[in-house]
Structure formats: structure tokens, C-alpha cells
Amino acid sequence: MTDITHNQRIVAQFTRWAKPFAELPIHAQADAMARSLAACALEPTLNVLDVACGPGILACAMAPHARQVTGIDITPAMIAQAQVRQAAVGLHNLAWHIGDATTLPFAAQSFDRVTTRYSLHHMQDPAAVLREMKRVCRPGGRIIVIDATPSPETWDGYDAMERLRDPSHTSALPLDELRRMGKDAGLSEAVVEAYRLEAQLETLSDEKDMAALTAMFDADIASGQDRIGVGAWRTPEGIRFHFPVSILAWHIA
Ligand SMILES: C[S@@+](CC[C@H](N)C(=O)[O-])C[C@H]1O[C@@H](n2cnc3c(N)ncnc32)[C@H](O)[C@@H]1O
């Protein structure tokens, strides 16, 4: 169960960030998107659900390759951005819902593919979300999770940095933890993939958090210890780093 306070934090954070998030080019980065679409193994006959779809970037990228794509997100401002994006790309096989990933308002076995990207690290109970994704996915279907996966050694440092940047961050699970979660849910792995997403700190953070974040990154850069685990470096424009992202796809038996 997700508690109300946490959901309110999520909605507050992503209402403020809906438009900048939707417009940030790294969220539609071509190589990352191509890898994500490949893991989804889409076909024109398939019904797809994108959980915590945000501004519909993945949903709109999947729609040309599927029969129908449904996106659901708890933040109304994100769904408003998804509708803007759908109108801009001119696709008609998309539908949007406002709702909670822990209690999806869909019947069991309603979808052939169930995806979620960059979302589990906002959940209080990611295993419950994965079980719910499994419930709505039909036998023979596929579940695809795409998320930041710090190494076990940098897990604490990575989470500390993310919580400073975004108070709705819970924890980004290392890849082995995600794999274990899939196994515990009775899922069998189809794809395990990774990519690194290069980002600019100053485009991802509120001004009020920048001093503390900069100090944290600079300590890593100066010591060369990489306690955050993102390989940060300085440029004349500011601090750059890589998000370590994994793609995990599971079959539903
Ligand atoms: C970092 S954004 C990712 C958006 C999108 N999946 C993408 O990859 O572009 C995280 C999204 O998760 C949504 N979210 C967080 N907790 C949720 C929950 N319990 N149920 C539904 N959506 C949730 C937020 O509203 C936000 O839109």
C-alpha cells in the first residue's frame, strides 16, 4: 500500500515538473528509446499498458507499433502533458487514465504488454506494483521495467543524491534486487539490458536544491571516489553525469 502522504508528495513534485519533464530531450533519447522498444517486442495486434506513464513519452513511442496503448499516471498534470504530446504526434490509438499503480483499474489479463519506465524508484512498495502489473498482463504476455539501477556499492549514495533532487524518490533498486523481485513474483526473464543516460544536473533540479547537490557532486568529482555512482564530471556549463539504467523484460507463463 502507498500511504496518502507519499502520493501527495508525488503529485506535488510531478505537477511542478510536468512541463519541464515532458520537454527534456534526454527523456526521448533515441538510443535509449530504441532499446526500450526492442525489449517490448511490440506487434500491431497487441494491447499495451504503460504504468506511471508521465507525459506519455514511452506510450507515444510505442503506439505506432501496437494496436492500442493505455497510459495511467497518478499526477493529472502529467496526463495533461500526455494529451498534448498525443495531439502533437497525431496518433489516435492512445487512451489516458488518472490512477494509482498499486491498484490498477483494469481487469485481470487485459493487456499483452505492461510497461513502466523511470517509476519504480518513486514507489513505496515496488514489488506490489510489479504484482499488479502481472495481474493485468495476459499469459504469454510481457512485463517491461525500465529504471535507474545503481550498483550495490553506490546504492546509498545514489539514493541520497536523488532524495535531495526529488523528495518523492524512495529507492532505486540495484539490478540484482529487481531481478529478485521478478523471480519472487513468479516471472521468467526475457531481456536484461542496460544503457547510460547522459544528463546535466542543472536541468534536473530546483534552484533551491542546487547548492547542496553541487556540493555533493563536487565532493565526488574532487575525491574521484564516485560515491553517487554516476561518474560525474564538470564542464563550463555545469555538472554532467550518467544515469545507470536497466531494462528488464519478463514473460508471463
Ligand atoms: C520520473 S516520472 C516517469 C514518467 C514516464 N514513465 C517516463 O518514463 O517518461 C515518474 C512518474 O511516476 C508517476 N507515479 C509515481 N507514483 C505513482 C503511482 N503510485 N501510481 C501512478 N503513477 C505514479 C508520477 O506521477 C510521474 O509521472
Side-chain angles (χ1 to χ4, degrees):
M1 275 297 272
T2 311
D3 72 52
I4 298 296
T5 316
H6 182 70
N7 279 353
Q8 285 172 342
R9 245 192 319 268
I10 292 278
V11 173
Q13 176 75 7
F14 286 104
T15 298
R16 279 189 306 114
W17 274 89
K19 197 162 185 290
F21 187 99
E23 291 171 356
L24 209 60
I26 61 163
H27 295 139
Q29 204 260 356
D31 175 64
M33 190 58 82
R35 289 169 189 270
S36 303
L37 291 178
C40 294
L42 298 171
E43 294 169 27
T45 54
L46 300 183
N47 282 325
V48 181
L49 175 66
D50 188 27
V51 175
C53 64
I57 299 168
L58 178 61
C60 287
M62 292 192 288
H65 311 286
R67 190 171 82 79
Q68 173 79 21
V69 179
T70 301
I72 183 165
D73 198 282
I74 203 168
T75 306
M78 279 295 206
I79 293 296
Q81 287 296 322
Q83 287 162 336
V84 168
R85 192 173 195 92
Q86 177 183 359
V89 294
L91 293 166
H92 300 288
N93 60 337
L94 286 145
W96 309 106
H97 294 255
I98 296 166
D100 190 337
T102 59
T103 49
L104 293 171
F106 305 110
Q109 304 184 6
S110 325
F111 298 96
D112 303 287
R113 300 286 182 268
V114 184
T115 61
T116 195
R117 188 182 78 152
Y118 307 157
S119 78
L120 287 190
H121 65 266
H122 293 289
M123 306 295 173
Q124 290 190 311
D125 188 351
V129 173
L130 189 62
R131 287 194 297 274
E132 189 64 350
M133 292 171 73
K134 182 186 177 192
R135 181 185 68 78
V136 300
C137 192
R138 71 162 175 78
R142 200 177 258 222
I143 290 177
I144 301 96
V145 168
I146 303 160
D147 208 356
T149 50
S151 69
E153 297 73 32
T154 60
W155 191 359
D156 287 346
Y158 184 86
D159 277 345
M161 178 278 286
E162 281 290 48
R163 284 190 202 114
L164 205 49
R165 198 175 70 77
D166 173 356
S168 72
H169 180 93
T170 53
S171 185
L173 301 176
L175 178 59
D176 282 349
E177 297 289 327
L178 259 189
R179 295 179 83 169
R180 185 146 51 96
M181 215 170 74
K183 200 169 169 208
D184 290 348
L187 300 170
S188 38
E189 283 178 5
V191 176
V192 183
E193 247 265 61
Y195 60 84
R196 295 193 317 154
L197 203 56
E198 186 175 329
Q200 174 90 27
L201 179 63
E202 293 76 5
T203 63
L204 298 168
S205 315
D206 284 323
E207 188 61 39
K208 68 175 176 44
D209 301 322
M210 273 311 295
L213 276 164
T214 302
M216 192 174 186
F217 274 87
D218 275 338
D220 250 21
I221 294 167
S223 70
Q225 282 189 27
D226 200 14
R227 281 165 294 214
I228 311 172
V230 295
W233 71 99
R234 270 210 167 267
T235 72
E237 290 74 41
I239 293 170
R240 293 190 75 78
F241 65 98
H242 286 107
F243 283 108
V245 182
S246 293
I247 303 173
L248 254 169
W250 294 277
H251 291 299
I252 305 277

Short mmCIF file of all heavy atoms in Angstrom, two decimals, residues 2 6-7 10-11 14 21 27 50-58 72-75 78 99-102 116-119 121-123 129 166, ligand 1:
data_model
loop_
_atom_site.label_atom_id
_atom_site.label_comp_id
_atom_site.label_asym_id
_atom_site.label_seq_id
_atom_site.Cartn_x
_atom_site.Cartn_y
_atom_site.Cartn_z
N THR A 2 0.48 2.24 -0.77
CA THR A 2 1.16 3.53 -0.76
C THR A 2 0.41 4.44 0.19
O THR A 2 -0.81 4.51 0.14
CB THR A 2 1.09 4.15 -2.17
OG1 THR A 2 1.49 3.17 -3.11
CG2 THR A 2 1.96 5.36 -2.27
N HIS A 6 2.73 10.07 0.88
CA HIS A 6 3.68 9.84 -0.19
C HIS A 6 3.05 10.19 -1.55
O HIS A 6 3.68 10.85 -2.38
CB HIS A 6 4.17 8.39 -0.19
CG HIS A 6 5.19 8.14 -1.25
ND1 HIS A 6 6.46 8.68 -1.20
CD2 HIS A 6 5.12 7.46 -2.43
CE1 HIS A 6 7.13 8.34 -2.28
NE2 HIS A 6 6.34 7.60 -3.04
N ASN A 7 1.81 9.76 -1.76
CA ASN A 7 1.15 10.10 -3.03
C ASN A 7 1.02 11.61 -3.21
O ASN A 7 1.17 12.13 -4.32
CB ASN A 7 -0.24 9.45 -3.10
CG ASN A 7 -0.14 7.98 -3.52
OD1 ASN A 7 0.93 7.51 -3.87
ND2 ASN A 7 -1.26 7.29 -3.47
N ILE A 10 4.28 12.86 -4.40
CA ILE A 10 4.46 12.54 -5.83
C ILE A 10 3.72 13.55 -6.70
O ILE A 10 4.29 14.13 -7.64
CB ILE A 10 3.89 11.12 -6.13
CG1 ILE A 10 4.72 10.03 -5.46
CG2 ILE A 10 3.73 10.88 -7.63
CD1 ILE A 10 5.96 9.63 -6.18
N VAL A 11 2.44 13.76 -6.36
CA VAL A 11 1.63 14.65 -7.20
C VAL A 11 2.17 16.09 -7.15
O VAL A 11 2.23 16.76 -8.18
CB VAL A 11 0.13 14.57 -6.80
CG1 VAL A 11 -0.69 15.61 -7.55
CG2 VAL A 11 -0.42 13.16 -7.06
N PHE A 14 5.45 16.15 -9.31
CA PHE A 14 5.29 15.99 -10.75
C PHE A 14 4.28 16.96 -11.36
O PHE A 14 4.20 17.07 -12.57
CB PHE A 14 5.00 14.52 -11.10
CG PHE A 14 6.24 13.69 -10.97
CD1 PHE A 14 6.44 12.85 -9.89
CD2 PHE A 14 7.26 13.80 -11.91
CE1 PHE A 14 7.60 12.11 -9.75
CE2 PHE A 14 8.43 13.08 -11.78
CZ PHE A 14 8.61 12.24 -10.70
N PHE A 21 9.69 18.21 -17.48
CA PHE A 21 9.99 16.79 -17.69
C PHE A 21 9.60 16.40 -19.11
O PHE A 21 10.37 15.73 -19.82
CB PHE A 21 9.23 15.92 -16.66
CG PHE A 21 9.61 14.47 -16.70
CD1 PHE A 21 10.51 13.95 -15.78
CD2 PHE A 21 9.09 13.61 -17.66
CE1 PHE A 21 10.88 12.60 -15.81
CE2 PHE A 21 9.45 12.28 -17.71
CZ PHE A 21 10.34 11.77 -16.79
N HIS A 27 14.69 12.52 -22.09
CA HIS A 27 13.61 11.55 -21.83
C HIS A 27 13.09 10.89 -23.11
O HIS A 27 12.31 9.93 -23.03
CB HIS A 27 12.47 12.22 -21.06
CG HIS A 27 12.91 12.64 -19.69
ND1 HIS A 27 12.54 13.82 -19.10
CD2 HIS A 27 13.72 12.01 -18.79
CE1 HIS A 27 13.09 13.91 -17.90
NE2 HIS A 27 13.82 12.84 -17.70
N ASP A 50 0.95 1.32 -20.20
CA ASP A 50 2.15 1.96 -19.64
C ASP A 50 1.78 2.55 -18.28
O ASP A 50 0.98 3.49 -18.18
CB ASP A 50 2.67 3.05 -20.59
CG ASP A 50 4.03 3.58 -20.13
OD1 ASP A 50 4.77 2.83 -19.45
OD2 ASP A 50 4.34 4.74 -20.45
N VAL A 51 2.35 1.97 -17.23
CA VAL A 51 2.04 2.34 -15.84
C VAL A 51 2.95 3.50 -15.40
O VAL A 51 4.15 3.47 -15.67
CB VAL A 51 2.25 1.11 -14.93
CG1 VAL A 51 2.07 1.48 -13.46
CG2 VAL A 51 1.28 -0.01 -15.33
N ALA A 52 2.35 4.48 -14.72
CA ALA A 52 3.09 5.70 -14.33
C ALA A 52 3.69 6.33 -15.59
O ALA A 52 4.88 6.62 -15.66
CB ALA A 52 4.16 5.39 -13.29
N CYS A 53 2.82 6.55 -16.55
CA CYS A 53 3.24 6.93 -17.92
C CYS A 53 3.78 8.34 -18.01
O CYS A 53 4.37 8.72 -19.03
CB CYS A 53 2.06 6.78 -18.88
SG CYS A 53 0.69 7.89 -18.49
N GLY A 54 3.56 9.17 -16.96
CA GLY A 54 4.05 10.55 -17.02
C GLY A 54 3.48 11.26 -18.25
O GLY A 54 2.30 11.08 -18.59
N PRO A 55 4.32 12.03 -18.97
CA PRO A 55 3.82 12.80 -20.11
C PRO A 55 3.71 11.97 -21.39
O PRO A 55 3.69 12.52 -22.48
CB PRO A 55 4.86 13.90 -20.25
CG PRO A 55 6.12 13.27 -19.75
CD PRO A 55 5.73 12.31 -18.66
N GLY A 56 3.66 10.65 -21.25
CA GLY A 56 3.34 9.79 -22.40
C GLY A 56 4.45 9.62 -23.41
O GLY A 56 4.18 9.26 -24.57
N ILE A 57 5.69 9.82 -23.01
CA ILE A 57 6.79 9.76 -23.98
C ILE A 57 6.96 8.32 -24.49
O ILE A 57 7.01 8.08 -25.71
CB ILE A 57 8.10 10.29 -23.34
CG1 ILE A 57 7.92 11.74 -22.93
CG2 ILE A 57 9.28 10.14 -24.31
CD1 ILE A 57 9.02 12.29 -22.03
N LEU A 58 7.03 7.36 -23.56
CA LEU A 58 7.15 5.95 -23.98
C LEU A 58 5.85 5.49 -24.64
O LEU A 58 5.89 4.82 -25.68
CB LEU A 58 7.49 5.08 -22.76
CG LEU A 58 7.61 3.58 -23.02
CD1 LEU A 58 8.73 3.27 -24.03
CD2 LEU A 58 7.85 2.80 -21.72
N ILE A 72 -1.45 5.25 -17.72
CA ILE A 72 -2.07 5.64 -16.45
C ILE A 72 -1.01 6.29 -15.57
O ILE A 72 0.14 5.83 -15.52
CB ILE A 72 -2.73 4.43 -15.75
CG1 ILE A 72 -3.44 4.89 -14.46
CG2 ILE A 72 -1.73 3.31 -15.46
CD1 ILE A 72 -4.41 3.85 -13.90
N ASP A 73 -1.41 7.37 -14.90
CA ASP A 73 -0.48 8.08 -14.01
C ASP A 73 -1.29 8.74 -12.88
O ASP A 73 -2.44 9.12 -13.08
CB ASP A 73 0.30 9.14 -14.78
CG ASP A 73 1.55 9.59 -14.04
OD1 ASP A 73 1.43 10.39 -13.09
OD2 ASP A 73 2.65 9.11 -14.39
N ILE A 74 -0.65 8.87 -11.74
CA ILE A 74 -1.35 9.44 -10.57
C ILE A 74 -1.40 10.97 -10.61
O ILE A 74 -2.18 11.59 -9.89
CB ILE A 74 -0.66 8.94 -9.27
CG1 ILE A 74 -1.63 9.01 -8.10
CG2 ILE A 74 0.63 9.68 -8.99
CD1 ILE A 74 -1.15 8.27 -6.87
N THR A 75 -0.58 11.59 -11.46
CA THR A 75 -0.48 13.06 -11.48
C THR A 75 -1.27 13.63 -12.66
O THR A 75 -0.86 13.47 -13.82
CB THR A 75 1.00 13.50 -11.59
OG1 THR A 75 1.75 12.88 -10.55
CG2 THR A 75 1.14 15.01 -11.50
N MET A 78 0.60 15.45 -15.40
CA MET A 78 1.36 14.59 -16.32
C MET A 78 0.43 14.07 -17.43
O MET A 78 0.82 14.02 -18.60
CB MET A 78 2.00 13.42 -15.56
CG MET A 78 3.29 13.80 -14.85
SD MET A 78 4.58 14.27 -16.04
CE MET A 78 6.06 13.89 -15.11
N GLY A 99 -4.68 7.47 -12.15
CA GLY A 99 -4.88 6.41 -11.16
C GLY A 99 -3.56 5.94 -10.56
O GLY A 99 -2.48 6.35 -10.99
N ASP A 100 -3.70 5.05 -9.57
CA ASP A 100 -2.56 4.60 -8.77
C ASP A 100 -2.06 3.24 -9.27
O ASP A 100 -2.86 2.30 -9.43
CB ASP A 100 -3.03 4.49 -7.30
CG ASP A 100 -1.89 4.25 -6.34
OD1 ASP A 100 -0.82 3.75 -6.76
OD2 ASP A 100 -2.06 4.58 -5.16
N ALA A 101 -0.76 3.14 -9.44
CA ALA A 101 -0.14 1.90 -9.94
C ALA A 101 -0.34 0.72 -9.00
O ALA A 101 -0.23 -0.43 -9.42
CB ALA A 101 1.36 2.14 -10.15
N THR A 102 -0.62 1.00 -7.73
CA THR A 102 -0.77 -0.12 -6.78
C THR A 102 -2.17 -0.72 -6.84
O THR A 102 -2.38 -1.81 -6.29
CB THR A 102 -0.46 0.32 -5.32
OG1 THR A 102 -1.35 1.38 -4.98
CG2 THR A 102 0.97 0.77 -5.18
N THR A 116 6.62 -0.10 -17.48
CA THR A 116 6.76 1.09 -16.63
C THR A 116 8.19 1.58 -16.72
O THR A 116 9.14 0.78 -16.67
CB THR A 116 6.31 0.84 -15.17
OG1 THR A 116 6.16 2.12 -14.53
CG2 THR A 116 7.30 -0.01 -14.36
N ARG A 117 8.36 2.90 -16.90
CA ARG A 117 9.70 3.45 -17.09
C ARG A 117 9.94 4.55 -16.06
O ARG A 117 9.08 5.43 -15.86
CB ARG A 117 9.81 4.03 -18.51
CG ARG A 117 11.24 4.46 -18.86
CD ARG A 117 11.32 5.06 -20.25
NE ARG A 117 10.85 6.45 -20.27
CZ ARG A 117 11.28 7.38 -21.13
NH1 ARG A 117 12.16 7.08 -22.07
NH2 ARG A 117 10.79 8.62 -21.08
N TYR A 118 11.13 4.51 -15.45
CA TYR A 118 11.58 5.55 -14.51
C TYR A 118 10.55 5.79 -13.39
O TYR A 118 10.34 6.93 -12.96
CB TYR A 118 11.85 6.88 -15.24
CG TYR A 118 12.78 6.81 -16.42
CD1 TYR A 118 12.74 7.79 -17.43
CD2 TYR A 118 13.70 5.77 -16.56
CE1 TYR A 118 13.60 7.74 -18.52
CE2 TYR A 118 14.56 5.72 -17.66
CZ TYR A 118 14.50 6.70 -18.63
OH TYR A 118 15.34 6.66 -19.72
N SER A 119 9.89 4.76 -12.94
CA SER A 119 8.82 4.97 -11.95
C SER A 119 9.00 4.16 -10.66
O SER A 119 8.61 4.62 -9.60
CB SER A 119 7.47 4.62 -12.56
OG SER A 119 7.28 3.22 -12.59
N HIS A 121 11.31 3.66 -8.73
CA HIS A 121 12.07 4.35 -7.67
C HIS A 121 11.24 5.43 -6.97
O HIS A 121 11.74 6.09 -6.06
CB HIS A 121 13.39 4.92 -8.22
CG HIS A 121 13.20 6.01 -9.23
ND1 HIS A 121 13.18 5.79 -10.58
CD2 HIS A 121 13.02 7.34 -9.09
CE1 HIS A 121 13.02 6.93 -11.24
NE2 HIS A 121 12.91 7.89 -10.34
N HIS A 122 9.99 5.61 -7.39
CA HIS A 122 9.08 6.51 -6.67
C HIS A 122 8.08 5.74 -5.82
O HIS A 122 7.27 6.35 -5.13
CB HIS A 122 8.30 7.38 -7.65
CG HIS A 122 9.15 8.35 -8.40
ND1 HIS A 122 9.73 9.45 -7.81
CD2 HIS A 122 9.55 8.37 -9.69
CE1 HIS A 122 10.44 10.11 -8.69
NE2 HIS A 122 10.35 9.48 -9.84
N MET A 123 8.11 4.42 -5.90
CA MET A 123 7.08 3.62 -5.23
C MET A 123 7.54 3.21 -3.85
O MET A 123 8.70 2.82 -3.64
CB MET A 123 6.79 2.34 -6.05
CG MET A 123 6.44 2.60 -7.50
SD MET A 123 4.88 3.49 -7.65
CE MET A 123 4.87 3.82 -9.42
N VAL A 129 3.62 -3.16 -6.96
CA VAL A 129 3.33 -2.62 -8.31
C VAL A 129 3.62 -3.69 -9.36
O VAL A 129 2.83 -3.90 -10.29
CB VAL A 129 4.16 -1.34 -8.57
CG1 VAL A 129 3.99 -0.86 -10.01
CG2 VAL A 129 3.75 -0.23 -7.59
N ASP A 166 14.84 15.20 -5.45
CA ASP A 166 13.42 14.91 -5.64
C ASP A 166 12.89 14.22 -4.38
O ASP A 166 13.15 13.04 -4.16
CB ASP A 166 13.29 13.99 -6.87
CG ASP A 166 11.87 13.49 -7.07
OD1 ASP A 166 11.00 13.77 -6.23
OD2 ASP A 166 11.64 12.79 -8.07
C1 LIG B 1 10.02 10.15 -13.45
S1 LIG B 1 8.36 10.16 -13.99
C2 LIG B 1 8.42 8.99 -15.33
C3 LIG B 1 7.33 9.22 -16.35
C4 LIG B 1 7.31 8.25 -17.53
N1 LIG B 1 7.12 6.88 -17.11
C5 LIG B 1 8.55 8.37 -18.36
O1 LIG B 1 9.36 7.44 -18.37
O2 LIG B 1 8.72 9.39 -19.04
C6 LIG B 1 7.56 9.22 -12.73
C7 LIG B 1 6.05 9.19 -12.89
O3 LIG B 1 5.52 8.23 -11.96
C8 LIG B 1 4.25 8.69 -11.54
N2 LIG B 1 3.88 7.96 -10.34
C9 LIG B 1 4.57 7.88 -9.18
N3 LIG B 1 3.93 7.09 -8.30
C10 LIG B 1 2.81 6.64 -8.93
C11 LIG B 1 1.76 5.76 -8.54
N4 LIG B 1 1.70 5.22 -7.32
N5 LIG B 1 0.80 5.49 -9.45
C12 LIG B 1 0.85 6.05 -10.69
N6 LIG B 1 1.80 6.90 -11.09
C13 LIG B 1 2.78 7.19 -10.23
C14 LIG B 1 4.47 10.19 -11.36
O4 LIG B 1 3.27 10.91 -11.33
C15 LIG B 1 5.34 10.50 -12.58
O5 LIG B 1 4.56 10.89 -13.68
#
